[in-house]
Amino acid sequence: MSNEHFQGKFEVELKYRFESKTCFLDVLKQVPHEIMLEDNLESDCYFDTPDKSLRQQNKSVCIRTMEPSGIKLWIVKGPEATEAL
């Protein structure tokens, strides 16, 4: 497993719903892959200005803490390209 979570300017994340983590991992074992953070739990702490101007612009800023890895990420989102017009 790599010791680096992410090295680059942008990260693309895909999210899926599945019925069973065990079944998903059984299928994943059949294809080449690298599991980086399988058992981490994430917690987010969001920030905004007192007048909520980020929220009004459909933007968000948060610090994500991941345990037990100890990784902390600064995440800035929005507005979506379709919302920026």
Side-chain angles (χ1 to χ4, degrees), residues 62-75:
C62 81
I63 302 293
R64 175 171 293 161
T65 303
M66 303 169 74
E67 293 299 337
S69 69
I71 293 172
K72 292 184 180 175
L73 302 172
W74 176 41
I75 300 171

Side-chain angles (χ1 to χ4, degrees), residues 6-65:
F6 173 71
Q7 291 195 12
K9 188 171 181 181
F10 300 100
E11 179 179 28
V12 175
E13 181 177 278
L14 302 174
K15 295 183 179 182
Y16 299 92
R17 289 187 192 273
F18 49 85
E19 296 294 321
S20 166
K21 179 179 177 180
T22 303
C23 290
F24 172 76
L25 292 174
D26 287 344
V27 170
L28 191 59
K29 288 176 188 173
Q30 299 174 30
V31 295
H33 68 282
E34 178 181 357
I35 297 175
M36 297 178 71
L37 304 167
E38 179 179 343
D39 293 317
N40 269 278
L41 297 176
E42 300 176 357
S43 61
D44 293 341
C45 183
Y46 285 87
F47 298 89
D48 203 340
T49 60
D51 64 355
K52 308 291 186 211
S53 65
L54 292 175
R55 184 177 185 174
Q56 292 169 7
Q57 299 174 61
N58 293 323
K59 296 178 181 179
S60 67
V61 175
C62 81
I63 302 293
R64 175 171 293 161
T65 303

